[in-house]
Amino acid sequence: QVQLVESGGGLVQAGGSLRLSCAASVRTVNSYLGWFRQAPGKEREFVAAIWWSGASTYYSDSVKGRFTISRDNAKNTVYLQMNTLKPEDTANYYCAATYYTDYQDVSRYQGWGQGTQVTVSS
């Protein structure tokens, strides 16, 4: 079973940028790698996903055009480049993997990391 570890979160001002990293314990092939976020009192929501080969990427409407998901298979790592950050992006960010095609479904993912906190000040 794959386990992921997130890093790269921090405190930034609105309009700033952060790059999150997600390191996998094993090679993640034939799967989607996804980023989700969760604010206190809220459900965990889909942010972005990438097919293991990098052939396909998907984004939620709220981050489209601002965030970019990528991967480096040689390092067993997936990244989330976050630009033009907004206060509403504040949340704990998680990554996980799924072998199912419904890449937006949080219940289909496994290997959740501990999360990394992103806080955007206004």
Side-chain angles (χ1 to χ4, degrees), residues 52-90:
W52 71 275
S53 70
S56 301
T57 58
Y58 305 91
Y59 301 92
S60 68
D61 290 339
S62 62
V63 308
K64 196 174 301 180
R66 299 187 297 119
F67 291 9
T68 302
I69 188 170
S70 62
R71 90 283 181 269
D72 186 341
N73 288 342
K75 298 179 179 179
N76 293 334
T77 301
V78 61
Y79 305 97
L80 186 67
Q81 178 66 46
M82 306 185 296
N83 298 327
T84 319
L85 283 161
K86 304 175 180 179
E88 50 262 46
D89 295 319
T90 295

Side-chain angles (χ1 to χ4, degrees), residues 19-20 26 30-31 33 40 44-46 50-51 53 63 68 76 80 82 108-109 119:
R19 189 192 192 197
L20 306 184
V26 297
N30 302 123
S31 64
L33 280 300
R44 191 167 298 187
E45 67 172 350
F46 171 77
I50 185 169
W51 180 244
S53 70
V63 308
T68 302
N76 293 334
L80 186 67
M82 306 185 296
R108 292 296 186 178
Y109 280 79
T119 302

Side-chain angles (χ1 to χ4, degrees), residues 4 6 12 18 31-32 43-44 54 63 66 98 119:
L4 295 309
E6 305 91 342
V12 297
L18 282 174
S31 64
Y32 286 100
E43 297 287 334
R44 191 167 298 187
V63 308
R66 299 187 297 119
T98 182
T119 302

Side-chain angles (χ1 to χ4, degrees), residues 1-7 21-26 28 32-39 43-49 69 78 80 92-100 102-116:
Q1 184 178 9
V2 64
Q3 292 292 321
L4 295 309
V5 179
E6 305 91 342
S7 63
S21 297
C22 174
S25 60
V26 297
T28 51
Y32 286 100
L33 280 300
W35 283 99
F36 292 76
R37 64 188 182 187
Q38 186 170 24
E43 297 287 334
R44 191 167 298 187
E45 67 172 350
F46 171 77
V47 175
I69 188 170
V78 61
L80 186 67
N92 202 4
Y93 283 69
Y94 300 86
C95 64
T98 182
Y99 297 98
Y100 294 88
D102 47 342
Y103 55 83
Q104 298 185 67
D105 189 351
V106 64
S107 69
R108 292 296 186 178
Y109 280 79
Q110 298 179 338
W112 298 100
Q114 81 288 350
T116 185

